[in-house]
Amino acid sequence: MTPVLIKTIHEARERCDELRRAGRLGFVPTMGALHRGHGALIDQARQECAGVAVSIFVNPTQFDRKEDYEHYSRNLVADLEFCAERGVDLVFAPDAAEMYPSPLKTFVEVTDLSERLCGHFRPGHFRGVATVVAKLFQIVQPDVAYFGEKDAQQLAIVRRMTADLNFPVEITAVTTVREADGLALSSRNERLGQEERQIAPRLFVALEAARQAVEAGKSVNEAKQAGLATLRGIRQMNVEYFEVVDGEMQPVTKIEGPVRILVAAWLGGTRLIDNVLTNAAARA
Ligand code: PAF
């Protein structure tokens, strides 16, 4: 069944109230260009909730580069079909004027967590994300919201914001979906040229090399070197960071429990991120 398409905040509130009356309301916030990664979030919401709402909004305030915002892939017709196939009840797809009728003077900023890693290279990005997610939570008022582990820092920030501001929303993390060659699904993959697409899975290879090093008892430094060594000499690739962090996204110097290894790199004109979690049992 085709989901109800809603463009206004007023109507979204009404329809979400109706859905919530029928049971648990699951929410998947997206910027559209839906792929199997979003599909996994929607499928889990569909399994766990009576109602499923998806938002599609390319949020201007989280883009640190104008051309990235302008080139972000948009295809509402295909996205609606994607949602219909997965039994989504409601799609909220406002335009920018509906979400931001006048320039914002109020922002949500998860300090510290937002300044590291991607935040360091994309100033203002996580403030834009936290603010729009807070707005969307106020509009949809879901019982549970689903976020992909691929954006691990975003997930940590949303979790912290939800706790700090007492949003009555449960945050569920969903495992990263990968192509057969290991490349994490992302709307940005579409922008890769043929040669870049062939190189892109090397990011996962690098993460896996570092993960294996950690699990074999190597130091943080050795693990990073093991990962980075697999990327050395790739002319098209420019690594922004390769870090080993704890659950709070704080870089660690010593491995004392499960850690997450994250990478961000430019491949030509496309910025890709990915991460893996180490196995706690391997070091126990
Ligand atoms: O992950 C995304 O697609 C976006 O950052 C989100 C959470 C929908 C906020 O605009």
Side-chain angles (χ1 to χ4, degrees), residues 15-223:
R15 295 289 190 141
C16 288
D17 282 351
E18 276 168 31
L19 284 175
R20 219 177 302 104
R21 260 178 249 130
R24 220 163 130 81
L25 175 59
F27 176 45
V28 181
T30 81
M31 298 208 298
L34 302 181
H35 50 65
R36 285 184 292 119
H38 300 107
L41 304 180
I42 295 171
D43 291 347
Q44 191 161 336
R46 191 64 288 170
Q47 270 171 28
E48 296 177 355
C49 301
V52 176
V54 169
S55 66
I56 297 179
F57 178 58
V58 184
N59 174 36
T61 67
Q62 71 186 75
F63 286 83
D64 50 320
R65 293 176 312 119
K66 196 165 166 256
E67 66 274 21
D68 194 20
Y69 174 64
E70 279 161 5
H71 292 149
Y72 202 85
S73 139
R74 294 162 170 88
N75 190 343
L76 188 58
V77 175
D79 288 345
L80 283 176
E81 205 172 301
F82 187 95
C83 288
E85 281 163 12
R86 283 165 179 79
V88 170
D89 297 293
L90 176 160
V91 171
F92 174 48
D95 60 21
E98 179 69 10
M99 288 297 277
Y100 301 111
S102 53
L104 276 191
K105 297 221 185 277
T106 309
F107 298 92
V108 178
E109 192 151 1
V110 181
T111 56
D112 195 29
L113 256 176
S114 296
E115 285 137 35
R116 295 193 282 269
L117 306 164
C118 286
H120 175 75
F121 293 94
R122 303 185 66 189
H125 168 66
F126 287 121
R127 183 172 90 157
V129 170
T131 305
V132 81
V133 171
K135 281 163 76 69
L136 290 166
F137 279 3
Q138 292 287 28
I139 296 164
V140 175
Q141 300 192 14
D143 296 292
V144 43
Y146 296 82
F147 290 84
E149 276 188 351
K150 191 195 142 246
D151 298 305
Q153 190 176 8
Q154 167 172 285
L155 174 62
I157 286 167
V158 168
R159 275 197 197 289
R160 188 58 194 251
M161 175 197 78
T162 305
D164 283 357
L165 297 184
N166 306 97
F167 279 106
V169 182
E170 188 184 311
I171 306 297
T172 296
V174 179
T175 313
T176 303
V177 180
R178 299 183 181 281
E179 300 285 4
D181 58 13
L183 176 64
L185 260 56
S186 162
S187 316
R188 293 197 156 82
N189 295 352
E190 282 173 28
R191 295 192 212 159
L192 298 170
Q194 216 177 359
E195 197 191 355
E196 291 165 353
R197 173 62 190 81
Q198 277 177 358
I199 296 167
R202 298 283 288 273
L203 287 179
F204 184 55
V205 172
L207 291 171
E208 282 293 281
R211 185 178 63 79
Q212 280 161 22
V214 168
E215 290 176 3
K218 300 270 196 298
S219 70
V220 169
N221 223 9
E222 285 167 328

Side-chain angles (χ1 to χ4, degrees), residues 118 121 192 196 199-200 202-203 206 228 230-242 262-274:
C118 286
F121 293 94
L192 298 170
E196 291 165 353
I199 296 167
R202 298 283 288 273
L203 287 179
L228 285 168
T230 70
L231 300 175
R232 208 155 287 136
I234 305 178
R235 168 178 58 80
Q236 299 89 331
M237 194 178 278
N238 186 3
V239 178
E240 267 187 355
Y241 66 77
F242 194 95
L262 298 96
V263 65
W266 285 89
L267 200 42
T270 308
R271 186 176 185 275
L272 298 178
I273 57 170
D274 197 359

